[in-house]
């Protein structure tokens, strides 16, 4: 399911492609077939930097299509980070879906126009765009339309399940581990978890397992604020109020949320939809606590840092407002992708220069580790500062380096080990870690 392919029924849709990108640039709400045509139009217009693939199907059999942008589509290049946007998780929250379709058209058009910023972004990043995680719910909401859409109509999938309350609950396990010095990353999934989630959720989790995503955002509606983990509170409500549930990367998450908020035309002003959020950001649990959410799952199960973007007061805004919403969000959508290039990245090798996968990369003072990917490359988002970084794996001596991260692009740190032979640790040979 995760490989690029085109179902037979869609070949007929491809006949509509000539000229569709230009017409697709007009602002409109896209029903499922229209969305698919719009995505394939982009792929047809920019075939050398795009790929379309399906990660699975909804309850009613609609494909969950992803449009990928890369200078080598379909290939993970070592040291090139993987980024994803997910829209329309709640079927009746539709602005994110339309913004991601427009973003895809924009990236293609600007690349063709040789926009240096966009060209560099596509050459240096593998960008995955899933405009609709819940196409079934969208169709329910769209049948009512913007004027008559209810607050909950179409929110869930075809079984009326809220997909943002459907991921395995790893927060409770994490909070237990915090008290017992347990594992702080890549927490285990419960038994029979695949039978406990909806098809759309299953497809997204399998997607996460197939790509070493570094940074992500999921797009919602009903408020205007950038929401960061944790979504689930550590403690019960106190006098009707929930409390801030910070991750070990709380300062970094605040910075990521502010990046979007301040690049947005009005999110950062705070007063929106009758609510006030200082700087246009909020910790999820301090707003309201929810269990089994997707952004917490990303952080606790994968290497990916995800925030939730609430982008409109009106969940199903009229088409006339879409141009203004696009202009309000365009810079923020691009700026947020660029954040994937901050911190440190590098390769993990043994002494024979063989890459090592699933090595744990820890940063002193931040109790949350990431792991290297199948090619031995790792990515660790960090704020500017000086850090002590250690890589470890079974059978190897730890490799440690001190590195200073600046405000610009990620610093590359090569971690090379001396390994145990016949159970005996070798003496380290000079420095085992160096900048490259």
């Amino acid at each position: 399911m995760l490989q690029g392919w085109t179902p037979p029924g869609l070949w007929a849709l491809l006949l509509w492609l000539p000229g569709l990108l230009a017409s697709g640039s007009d602002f409109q709400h896209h029903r499922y077939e229209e969305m698919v045509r719009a995505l394939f139009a982009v792929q047809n217009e920019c075939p050398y930097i795009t790929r379309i693939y399906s990660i699975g199907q909804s309850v009613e059999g609609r494909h969950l299509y992803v449009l990928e942008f890369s200078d080598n589509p379909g290939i993970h290049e070592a040291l090139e980070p993987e980024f994803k946007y997910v829209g329309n998780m709640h079927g009746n929250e539709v602005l994110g879906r339309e913004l991601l379709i427009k973003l895809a058209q924009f990236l293609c058009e600007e690349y063709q126009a040789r926009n240096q910023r966009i060209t560099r972004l596509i050459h240096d990043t593998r960008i995955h765009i899933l405009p609709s995680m819940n196409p079934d719910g969208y169709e329910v909401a769209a049948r009512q339309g913007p004027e008559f859409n209810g607050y909950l109509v179409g929110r869930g999938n075809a079984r009326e399940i809220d997909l943002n309350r459907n991921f395995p609950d790893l927060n409770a396990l994490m909070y237990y581990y915090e008290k017992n010095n347990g594992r702080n990353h890549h927490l285990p999934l419960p038994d029979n978890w695949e039978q406990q989630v909806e098809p759309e959720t299953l497809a997204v989790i399998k997607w996460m397992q197939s790509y070493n995503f570094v940074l992500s955002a999921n797009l919602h509606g009903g408020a205007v604020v950038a929401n960061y983990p944790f979504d689930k509170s550590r403690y019960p409500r106190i006098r009707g109020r929930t409390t801030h549930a910070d991750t070990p990367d709380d300062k970094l998450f605040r910075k990521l949320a502010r990046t979007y908020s301040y690049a947005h035309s009005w999110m950062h002003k705070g007063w929106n939809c009758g609510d006030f959020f200082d700087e246009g950001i909020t910790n999820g649990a301090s707003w309201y606590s929810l269990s089994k959410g997707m952004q917490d799952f990303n952080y606790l199960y994968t290497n990916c840092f995800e925030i939730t973007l609430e982008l409109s007061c009106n969940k199903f805004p009229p088409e006339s407002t879409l141009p203004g919403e696009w202009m309000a969000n365009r810079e923020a959508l691009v700026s947020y992708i660029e954040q994937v290039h901050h911190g440190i990245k590098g390769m993990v090798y043994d002494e024979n220069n063989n890459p090592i996968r699933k090595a744990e990369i820890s940063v002193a003072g931040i109790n949350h580790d990431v792991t290297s990917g199948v090619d031995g490359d790792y990515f660790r988002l960090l704020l500017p500062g000086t850090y002590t970084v250690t890589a470890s794996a079974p059978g190897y001596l730890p490799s440690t380096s001190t590195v200073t991260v600046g405000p610009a692009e990620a610093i590359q740190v090569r971690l090379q080990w001396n390994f145990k032979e016949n159970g005996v640790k070798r003496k380290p040979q000079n420095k085992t870690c160096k900048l490259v």
Side-chain angles (χ1 to χ4, degrees):
M1 279 295 197
L2 294 174
Q3 301 302 315
W5 66 288
T6 304
L10 281 174
W11 286 114
L13 292 176
L14 299 183
L15 298 176
W16 292 66
L17 290 177
L20 262 182
L21 187 58
S23 62
S25 297
D26 298 331
F27 292 93
Q28 64 183 86
H29 287 299
H30 293 76
R31 299 291 287 263
Y32 178 73
E33 292 79 6
E34 295 166 337
M35 179 187 72
V36 172
R37 286 198 293 269
L39 295 179
F40 273 94
V42 174
Q43 200 279 328
N44 184 67
E45 189 71 18
C46 290
Y48 301 112
I49 58 165
T50 60
R51 175 178 71 113
I52 291 179
Y53 62 97
S54 171
I55 62 171
Q57 291 179 285
S58 66
V59 171
E60 295 181 340
R62 295 181 175 91
H63 281 277
L64 306 182
Y65 283 115
V66 176
L67 180 60
E68 172 193 334
F69 282 85
S70 170
D71 57 340
N72 288 290
I75 299 172
H76 172 73
E77 300 175 70
L79 298 178
E80 182 172 289
E82 308 268 355
F83 176 95
K84 63 180 167 70
Y85 270 133
V86 178
N88 202 205
M89 186 181 198
H90 290 143
N92 65 335
E93 297 173 11
V94 307
L95 179 59
R97 173 188 179 114
E98 301 308 329
L99 290 177
L100 292 182
I101 293 171
K102 183 61 182 176
L103 176 65
Q105 295 168 346
F106 174 78
L107 292 176
C108 174
E109 291 165 354
E110 293 302 304
Y111 187 88
Q112 289 179 322
R114 299 183 180 180
N115 179 314
Q116 292 186 2
R117 182 187 184 192
I118 299 303
T119 298
R120 185 180 185 190
L121 190 63
I122 291 173
H123 285 183
D124 294 346
T125 322
R126 196 176 179 200
I127 304 166
H128 304 255
I129 298 174
L130 173 61
S132 181
M133 181 179 167
N134 185 5
D136 296 352
Y138 177 88
E139 294 302 309
V140 173
R143 282 196 287 270
Q144 287 198 330
E147 293 81 9
F148 305 102
N149 187 258
Y151 193 79
L152 296 176
V153 175
R155 176 182 176 88
N157 68 352
R159 295 173 181 155
E160 299 187 359
I161 301 298
D162 186 331
L163 299 179
N164 205 31
R165 311 292 191 279
N166 190 237
F167 285 77
D169 184 1
L170 299 183
N171 293 76
L173 183 60
M174 175 62 185
Y175 296 157
Y176 172 79
Y177 282 164
E178 283 182 338
K179 300 175 182 178
N180 297 276
N181 296 316
R183 191 173 180 84
N184 62 24
H185 65 96
H186 293 79
L187 303 186
L189 297 178
D191 294 337
N192 301 317
W193 70 270
E194 293 188 21
Q195 285 72 51
Q196 299 171 22
V197 300
E198 292 298 296
E200 297 89 348
T201 310
L202 176 63
V204 168
I205 294 176
K206 294 289 187 181
W207 187 34
M208 294 177 186
Q209 293 172 336
S210 300
Y211 296 86
N212 186 21
F213 292 114
V214 179
L215 182 63
S216 173
N218 70 88
L219 282 55
H220 288 249
V224 179
V225 64
N227 172 0
Y228 59 90
F230 284 122
D231 264 334
K232 183 174 181 177
S233 177
R234 287 179 172 84
Y235 311 105
R237 293 170 65 90
I238 301 174
R239 294 180 181 177
R241 299 184 63 184
T242 53
T243 56
H244 187 106
D246 59 313
T247 69
D249 287 284
D250 189 64
K251 292 181 180 178
L252 174 61
F253 271 118
R254 289 173 185 258
K255 190 256 187 179
L256 291 171
R258 282 196 294 266
T259 295
Y260 198 95
S261 178
Y262 277 93
H264 187 280
S265 294
W266 57 80
M267 184 182 290
H268 60 280
K269 296 180 180 178
W271 283 108
N272 292 293
C273 316
D275 293 319
F276 178 76
F277 297 99
D278 189 28
E279 297 187 286
I281 69 172
T282 185
N283 172 258
S286 67
W287 185 14
Y288 62 91
S289 181
L290 69 88
S291 297
K292 302 183 179 182
M294 185 165 68
Q295 72 174 8
D296 288 7
F297 182 85
N298 269 270
Y299 185 70
L300 295 175
Y301 182 63
T302 77
N303 290 321
C304 189
F305 289 56
E306 179 171 283
I307 66 173
T308 300
L309 300 171
E310 302 279 352
L311 297 178
S312 60
C313 302
N314 190 336
K315 288 178 177 251
F316 206 128
E319 287 184 347
S320 61
T321 67
L322 296 182
E325 293 286 2
W326 164 246
M327 294 308 299
N329 284 275
R330 185 181 69 181
E331 173 59 28
L333 288 166
V334 175
S335 294
Y336 186 75
I337 299 175
E338 292 172 332
Q339 298 307 301
V340 78
H341 292 287
H342 293 276
I344 61 174
K345 65 180 180 179
M347 303 295 299
V348 184
Y349 293 110
D350 64 18
E351 61 183 14
N352 296 316
N353 288 320
N354 297 311
I356 300 173
R357 61 178 299 183
K358 294 187 177 180
E360 296 185 354
I361 313 300
S362 61
V363 178
I366 304 177
N367 190 31
H368 183 79
D369 301 344
V370 299
T371 58
S372 57
V374 295
D375 297 317
D377 56 346
Y378 71 91
F379 306 84
R380 202 349 168 152
L381 299 179
L382 292 167
L383 294 173
T386 299
Y387 301 92
T388 300
V389 182
T390 300
S392 58
Y396 295 85
L397 289 172
S399 176
T400 300
S401 179
T402 299
V403 60
T404 298
V405 176
E409 292 189 355
I411 299 295
Q412 288 194 31
V413 183
R414 175 188 172 110
L415 299 168
Q416 187 148 2
W417 279 317
N418 301 294
F419 62 90
K420 287 191 283 185
E421 191 171 319
N422 297 324
V424 179
K425 292 183 179 179
R426 294 183 178 182
K427 286 186 177 181
Q429 303 171 358
N430 300 320
K431 288 187 176 181
T432 57
C433 178
K434 61 182 180 179
L435 293 176
V436 294

